[in-house]
Amino acid sequence: MMWLQQVVLPLIRLYMCGIKVLLYQMFNRSFTLPVLPTQNGRVAIVTGGTRGMGLETARRLASLGMHVIIAGNEREEGTEAARKINEESHEGRAEFMFMDLTSLKSVKQFVQTFRNRGLPLHVLVNNAGTMLISETQTEDGFEFHFCLNYLGHFLLTNLLLDLLKRSGRQGCCSRVINMSSATHFSGVLQMDDLNRRICYSSHGAYSQSKLALVLFTYHLQEQLTAGGFPVTVNAVDPGMVDTALYDNLSSLAKLLKRPVAKILFRTPAEGASVTVYAAAASEMEGVGGCYLYNGEKTQSSDLSYDPELQVELWKKSCELVGLQEA
């Protein structure tokens, strides 16, 4: 019975979410970005910016005039990504900085290195993620999806929060964008077993991490609003995008996915458009606590609005990464 609840049901729920998204994408065009204001002098960090949607996000923000820090764990790939962006863009610029989100030590080192440079921070895009990997623990003992997709970003955001607050001002807020997914609708937060050690399911672990990001988004925005700080936090859902995220599918699933992806999946540039919109659009100035899908504010799952669950996850996350509760 536990295997059915913890392994089979998460798989079914996740694939049902995927089918719903594909049906939507079959009949609806991808969001088209409006004309965006220049971002000269603004600094952004994009995690996982070496490929896929992260790279497209970094490229577009640099083209608007931003100084973009690509944060990732692939040095050669990251350096090459920054070089290509700088060749293309004469408005802003990009550079690579190493950070491994599955290591709390690495996240802290990245933040310290960034702080030492004395730069402001106006945009933080928590984009990096992984999906459907076999059961793996990080060096700190966390389940891999939970740490890479959520917990590492939770720590990174909190360690940079005072800098985001100082860099923003009323009428020109700093912005945090969290990359979630429609799979959060199938997510269940197992507070007594966040690392999924009792009965592992890669589908359940992935969905849980994406739900955690939405819960985190809403609770952080509530704190920032209560404190009157010029920082907004939003979650974005890019839809189903043809990226390396699907490399961990089974051989059969990959075979079935290939023809469907060519017709119905979004391109990385299309997927990144909602993130870029949240990061730079005038319409999003001062707007936080939203779940954005295809360029529109959308209702997320009922569970994601549970204030008690938001607080419980926040407290547990602070405990796990060794932060004092705000």
Side-chain angles (χ1 to χ4, degrees):
M1 180 62 77
M2 178 178 286
W3 184 80
L4 180 68
Q5 289 181 331
Q6 302 292 338
V7 178
V8 178
L9 287 180
L11 184 150
I12 294 171
R13 286 197 295 260
L14 187 142
Y15 281 103
M16 288 301 294
C17 279
I19 290 169
K20 288 180 182 178
V21 173
L22 286 179
L23 287 172
Y24 177 88
Q25 293 183 184
M26 184 183 295
F27 298 106
N28 294 272
R29 289 184 175 183
S30 175
F31 169 66
T32 301
L33 275 169
V35 176
L36 298 172
T38 57
Q39 303 289 311
N40 297 334
R42 287 172 73 81
V43 178
I45 293 173
V46 180
T47 69
T50 60
R51 64 175 76 169
M53 286 187 290
L55 176 58
E56 292 297 335
T57 299
R59 175 181 284 132
R60 190 58 193 261
L61 294 180
S63 75
L64 293 171
M66 279 195 180
H67 176 182
V68 181
I69 309 293
I70 295 172
N73 64 349
E74 297 285 347
R75 295 183 191 275
E76 289 187 14
E77 193 175 51
T79 302
E80 180 63 13
R83 185 189 66 79
K84 286 182 178 179
I85 291 173
N86 289 329
E87 280 184 357
E88 298 168 3
S89 176
H90 302 292
E91 290 80 13
R93 69 187 185 94
E95 62 175 298
F96 173 76
M97 287 179 62
F98 181 85
M99 177 174 62
D100 180 357
L101 280 159
T102 67
S103 164
L104 301 186
K105 179 181 177 182
S106 181
V107 173
K108 292 173 184 175
Q109 287 175 337
F110 170 86
V111 171
Q112 191 56 56
T113 301
F114 181 78
R115 283 181 174 281
N116 289 344
R117 298 182 58 182
L119 292 169
L121 179 61
H122 304 96
V123 173
L124 173 60
V125 180
N126 291 321
N127 164 83
T130 193
M131 181 174 75
L132 305 186
I133 64 169
S134 57
E135 187 171 9
T136 307
Q137 286 188 17
T138 67
E139 65 180 46
D140 301 295
F142 301 120
E143 190 278 321
F144 206 86
H145 293 90
F146 184 69
C147 190
L148 174 55
N149 296 355
Y150 166 68
L151 198 61
H153 284 123
F154 175 87
L155 176 61
L156 176 68
T157 304
N158 275 283
L159 293 179
L160 291 170
L161 202 52
D162 63 329
L163 193 52
L164 286 159
K165 291 173 181 176
R166 290 200 305 269
S167 302
R169 64 179 189 278
Q170 296 304 326
C172 194
C173 291
S174 296
R175 306 184 187 190
V176 178
I177 298 94
N178 292 324
M179 179 66 72
S180 188
S181 159
T183 56
H184 90 273
F185 281 94
S186 66
V188 177
L189 215 61
Q190 298 186 350
M191 291 303 303
D192 57 344
D193 187 28
L194 290 169
N195 289 303
R196 300 274 169 161
R197 290 186 180 137
I198 296 173
C199 190
Y200 185 75
S201 158
S202 60
H203 300 84
Y206 177 68
S207 301
Q208 174 184 256
S209 69
K210 292 302 182 178
L211 172 60
L213 278 167
V214 184
L215 289 158
F216 166 50
T217 298
Y218 295 157
H219 188 64
L220 178 55
Q221 184 61 68
E222 185 180 326
Q223 287 186 330
L224 291 165
T225 301
F229 297 110
V231 183
T232 59
V233 192
N234 290 295
V236 298
D237 176 351
M240 294 187 78
V241 182
D242 198 9
T243 69
L245 196 64
Y246 294 89
D247 288 354
N248 298 316
L249 292 174
S250 66
S251 299
L252 177 60
K254 281 183 183 178
L255 195 64
L256 295 171
K257 171 241 173 192
R258 198 169 294 127
V260 175
K262 287 182 179 179
I263 301 169
L264 296 178
F265 278 34
R266 306 296 198 210
T267 66
E270 289 172 335
S273 64
V274 183
T275 305
V276 175
Y277 178 75
S282 300
E283 296 91 327
M284 293 302 296
E285 176 55 46
V287 178
C290 297
Y291 184 84
L292 298 173
Y293 177 56
N294 211 30
E296 297 181 356
K297 298 168 190 172
T298 310
Q299 287 289 111
S300 54
S301 69
D302 291 343
L303 194 58
S304 68
Y305 294 106
D306 184 335
E308 292 183 2
L309 189 59
Q310 291 170 10
V311 171
E312 189 178 4
L313 176 64
W314 182 278
K315 289 181 177 179
K316 185 64 176 178
S317 301
C318 286
E319 178 187 320
L320 292 172
V321 300
L323 286 178
Q324 293 292 321
E325 284 182 45

